[in-house]
Amino acid sequence: MFESMIFVLMFIVLLGIFSQWLAWRLRMPAIVVMSIAGLLVGPIFGFVNPQESLGEIFSPLISLAVAIILFEGSLSLDFREVRSFNKPLTRIVTLGAFIAWIAGSLAAHYIAGLSVAVSFVIGGLFIVTGPTVILPLLRQAKLKPRPAAILKWEGIVVDPFGALLAVFAFEFIKFINGNVTLTSFLLFFAGSIFAAFLGWLFGWIIGKMFEKGQIPEYLKAPVVFAIVLMVFVFSDVVMHETGLLAVTAMGLTMANMHIASINDMRHFKENISILLVSSIFIMLTASLNPTTLVDIFNPHIILFVLAMLFVVRPLSIWLSTIGTDLMNNEKLLISWIAPRGIVALTVSGYFASILQESGYKDAEMLTALTFALVFATVIFHGFSIGWVAKKLKLSATEKPGVLIVGGNAFTAELAKSLLDEQMDVLVVDDSWEQLRYARKLGVPIYSGDILSEQTEYSLDLTPFPKMIAATEVDAYNALICSNFVIELGRDHLYQTAASQTKEDDYHPSLGGKTLFDSTANIYELTERVLRGHVIRKTNITEQYNYEQYINGREEEVVLLYVIRADGSLKFYTTKSELQANPGDLVVSLTPPTKLQDKINDKISQSKE
């Protein structure tokens, strides 16, 4: 319908981001919404066909986008993250991938009816999961750290090797048939080694330039962006399908150089990655031929997909992890979650054409076979990952846990009040002495700098969706909040009021939301606790409503937070006027007066 190339590009990007937003609003897997959106505007209603509109630049655009996505994913692969479970991970990405290749190839031959040659090519490709599908699922599901890390590492590390394995199988078939010499076959291995070396070399060079300050901050992300594209293209020109290996090696190298400014660059690439994933999924699904869509329902294809889901994947995980310390519930989750995505779609299209040119007519089935596996895994795994994780007790807690930075008398009392309500809470401070208040009350603590690199890898922040910065240094509080904006979102970051008297000294807009009221800085709050002020909890009922509570409270009372009847937690801030309904619990810092005790007695009587 729309023939303008620039309009099609605009429409794809807009639809992709809208799909991401809609998935967030509906709490659905983003990749599922994007796939459905692409099918609706493409083969079903025929609004756009990106492959026809973009012509020759369609495939290069997707290839470059996949390279950037894979590099961004590999940039998060720090070896320190997997020290405690490197054995099961190593087994999964080596022995597990090999078992998946053999078993998947046999399924393609005996169930889907493909020839042995085509089966072993496509079997190698189908070992991939990839960051384009697994990372959005992990972002949505909020798994516990170990299974999440294993799925992330497997998806990123195996992704380039799946494409290489398909190339290897194809070259091996040609070698067996006498179509290529042993020298040509060995060149494949040389090309793969060259790609890995090229990625390592440029990753190391860029990393060293960053460390020595030879690239200004504003140019770091653009420089890396350009180098990634260059490494991918150059490697792919030398040996087809080795570009993904090169960019993965580059990202892995930079991630483990522990460059101080790597986080800022990673945040930029995360934003780019989300944009690219959204756009590519729309492009691929919208370009699907209606005939291929019908072919997906071929009984042989359906049986093959079921075999991949319920036989091949579980077999590869359970066999490869024998003798490791993975728990059975972790094995069950990992053996179920293996969504295929963009790499499988793009590379299978390439092999479908060259295999047909080589005389394998059954290769025309590859496109429908791949789309069927991609759609099935995206939908089944996308909708089930959260439910399965909960059933297996591998999802992060849903309770509104709070991490409090700053050890003092007030934060200790605040943490104890949250802990008493069965919430996850942790007090962090780099001074062991400052944590004495929390230790005395039996509150969980962590001694270390929340912004240090060591803390990032030794402290699991998953149970704490909310963070309070309550140290005695206002600028440090703002820095903490700014540092965790990407991970937690500004709405879940709080800091105590500024203690400075001059407006020019401090800019609260740079940090999180200001807690309680503008006069309740950490010095004032701590002093009140040391003078005997206590944290009191008031139940709001039909007989004693919120308005009565507000009108009856003393002037010195500081309103802290409200726990809703549904268990959600809301903090009072300088810019929010909370209301409490019957069934809610209002928590405040209160002078220990007889009047307040009488009010609490009345509340207890009304509940009875």
Side-chain angles (χ1 to χ4, degrees):
M1 180 181 291
F2 306 111
E3 296 183 359
S4 170
M5 183 184 297
I6 193 169
F7 182 88
V8 170
L9 285 172
M10 177 277 297
F11 181 76
I12 290 168
V13 172
L14 188 63
L15 184 60
I17 296 303
F18 174 76
S19 299
Q20 290 270 11
W21 174 84
L22 186 62
W24 170 75
R25 291 289 297 176
L26 299 178
R27 297 191 176 186
M28 291 176 62
I31 50 179
V32 172
V33 177
M34 290 184 290
S35 299
I36 294 173
L39 289 175
L40 290 174
V41 301
I44 295 178
F45 293 113
F47 292 141
V48 294
N49 187 323
Q51 189 168 11
E52 290 183 2
S53 301
L54 300 180
E56 293 182 357
I57 69 169
F58 178 80
S59 294
L61 273 178
I62 291 178
S63 297
L64 293 175
V66 171
I68 295 168
I69 294 166
L70 195 56
F71 171 77
E72 188 275 323
S74 61
L75 206 59
S76 64
L77 300 183
D78 194 309
F79 288 122
R80 293 175 298 183
E81 184 183 13
V82 295
R83 282 175 182 168
S84 61
F85 51 90
N86 56 8
K87 183 179 179 180
L89 177 63
T90 303
R91 291 272 200 89
I92 288 172
V93 300
T94 53
L95 179 59
F98 178 76
I99 294 172
W101 175 35
I102 300 301
S105 301
L106 294 174
H109 177 62
Y110 288 106
I111 298 177
L114 298 176
S115 63
V116 174
V118 175
S119 295
F120 273 85
V121 171
I122 203 66
L125 179 60
F126 283 164
I127 70 170
V128 306
T129 53
T132 60
V133 283
I134 200 65
L135 295 184
L137 284 188
L138 295 179
R139 195 179 295 122
Q140 162 219 338
K142 297 181 180 178
L143 303 180
K144 285 188 176 180
R146 191 155 88 156
I150 289 175
L151 287 170
K152 179 185 74 173
W153 274 76
E154 180 200 10
I156 296 171
V157 171
V158 175
D159 208 44
F161 288 106
L164 285 175
L165 198 55
V167 175
F168 166 76
F170 181 65
E171 293 294 328
F172 184 74
I173 289 166
K174 290 195 296 182
F175 173 71
I176 294 296
N177 293 336
N179 295 331
V180 296
T181 63
L182 179 61
T183 302
S184 300
F185 185 62
L186 292 176
L187 282 176
F188 162 76
F189 292 99
S192 301
I193 294 171
F194 171 77
F197 172 76
L198 186 69
W200 170 83
L201 179 63
F202 276 94
W204 183 82
I205 291 173
I206 295 298
K208 287 298 180 182
M209 293 179 72
F210 279 12
E211 288 179 346
K212 295 178 180 179
Q214 295 177 344
I215 300 177
E217 288 295 327
Y218 75 96
L219 276 182
K220 284 183 176 178
V223 165
V224 171
F225 187 83
I227 296 298
V228 167
L229 296 181
M230 184 204 73
V231 167
F232 171 77
V233 172
F234 188 70
S235 180
D236 225 40
V237 167
V238 173
M239 175 65 68
H240 195 65
E241 300 300 336
T242 60
L244 296 180
L245 177 62
V247 297
T248 301
M250 181 178 172
L252 197 61
T253 301
M254 294 184 69
N256 288 278
M257 291 179 72
H258 309 135
I259 304 166
S261 60
I262 198 74
N263 281 331
D264 294 335
M265 185 176 62
R266 186 184 293 135
H267 294 159
F268 166 79
K269 290 200 168 293
E270 282 177 355
N271 295 332
I272 293 295
S273 181
I274 290 173
L275 182 66
L276 292 176
V277 168
S278 307
S279 303
I280 290 176
F281 258 96
I282 298 296
M283 289 172 67
L284 289 172
T285 52
S287 300
L288 185 62
N289 191 304
T291 304
T292 305
L293 198 59
V294 174
D295 290 341
I296 287 175
F297 298 98
N298 182 316
H300 293 287
I301 291 180
I302 294 174
L303 287 174
F304 169 76
V305 170
L306 293 175
M308 293 293 290
L309 289 174
F310 297 105
V311 179
V312 175
R313 174 65 175 182
L315 188 68
S316 67
I317 296 301
W318 284 86
L319 289 180
S320 65
T321 55
I322 292 174
T324 67
D325 61 349
L326 274 189
M327 304 296 289
N328 286 337
N329 59 342
E330 292 174 321
K331 291 180 182 179
L332 278 171
L333 178 67
I334 295 169
S335 65
W336 170 240
I337 302 300
R340 276 65 170 188
I342 293 170
V343 171
L345 288 172
T346 54
V347 179
S348 69
Y350 164 75
F351 279 110
S353 60
I354 64 170
L355 283 168
Q356 288 183 72
E357 291 173 2
S358 300
Y360 298 98
K361 300 300 181 184
D362 56 329
E364 63 182 3
M365 189 180 179
L366 291 187
T367 302
L369 195 72
T370 307
F371 269 104
L373 184 61
V374 169
F375 287 151
T377 54
V378 163
I379 292 173
F380 292 157
H381 297 160
F383 279 113
S384 67
I385 185 171
W387 180 83
V388 172
K390 288 178 184 177
K391 290 296 181 182
L392 296 175
K393 298 181 179 179
L394 290 174
S395 60
T397 177
E398 292 186 349
K399 293 180 291 184
V402 183
L403 188 145
I404 304 173
V405 184
N408 50 64
F410 170 72
T411 57
E413 293 290 346
L414 177 65
K416 184 65 167 62
S417 71
L418 292 166
L419 193 64
D420 290 342
E421 295 302 320
Q422 307 302 311
M423 294 186 184
D424 289 324
V425 66
L426 182 70
V427 178
V428 179
D429 199 293
D430 58 0
S431 168
W432 181 255
E433 174 64 20
Q434 287 294 98
L435 291 170
R436 68 185 184 277
Y437 301 101
R439 293 201 304 272
K440 197 175 296 183
L441 294 176
V443 172
I445 61 170
Y446 178 87
S447 181
D449 185 355
I450 191 65
L451 297 181
S452 74
E453 201 171 359
Q454 180 62 33
T455 299
E456 181 181 353
Y457 291 100
S458 59
L459 184 62
D460 177 20
L461 300 180
T462 306
F464 309 107
K466 295 179 184 292
M467 180 181 289
I468 294 174
T471 72
E472 296 177 351
V473 182
D474 299 324
Y476 185 61
N477 291 340
L479 181 62
I480 291 170
C481 293
S482 298
N483 190 74
F484 284 93
V485 165
I486 298 294
E487 287 81 1
L488 302 179
R490 200 172 294 278
D491 287 343
H492 297 146
L493 292 166
Y494 305 90
Q495 62 190 89
T496 47
S499 57
Q500 284 93 334
T501 56
K502 296 181 181 179
E503 292 186 5
D504 293 339
D505 291 340
Y506 177 66
H507 301 280
S509 61
L510 297 177
K513 295 180 177 180
T514 303
L515 283 171
F516 318 135
D517 63 58
S518 57
T519 62
N521 61 61
I522 194 60
Y523 295 102
E524 173 67 21
L525 293 169
T526 302
E527 184 184 351
R528 289 193 183 198
V529 171
L530 295 176
R531 283 194 283 115
H533 287 223
V534 294
I535 292 182
R536 294 191 183 277
K537 299 174 181 179
T538 304
N539 289 289
I540 303 301
T541 65
E542 296 288 352
Q543 293 77 22
Y544 187 72
N545 59 37
Y546 186 63
E547 186 177 353
Q548 289 174 298
Y549 168 77
I550 293 296
N551 293 334
R553 68 189 173 105
E554 293 186 47
E555 189 175 338
E556 284 189 85
V557 169
V558 178
L559 299 174
L560 301 179
Y561 60 86
V562 175
I563 298 179
R564 301 292 188 196
D566 62 2
S568 61
L569 174 66
K570 300 290 183 183
F571 284 101
Y572 285 92
T573 68
T574 56
K575 293 186 178 181
S576 68
E577 297 182 5
L578 294 181
Q579 296 293 321
N581 302 312
D584 293 348
L585 183 70
V586 179
V587 182
S588 60
L589 183 63
T590 309
T593 61
K594 293 182 180 179
L595 177 61
Q596 188 66 43
D597 291 335
K598 289 180 179 179
I599 293 174
N600 288 334
D601 289 339
K602 289 181 180 179
I603 296 167
S604 299
Q605 292 171 7
S606 65
K607 289 179 67 178
E608 296 174 359

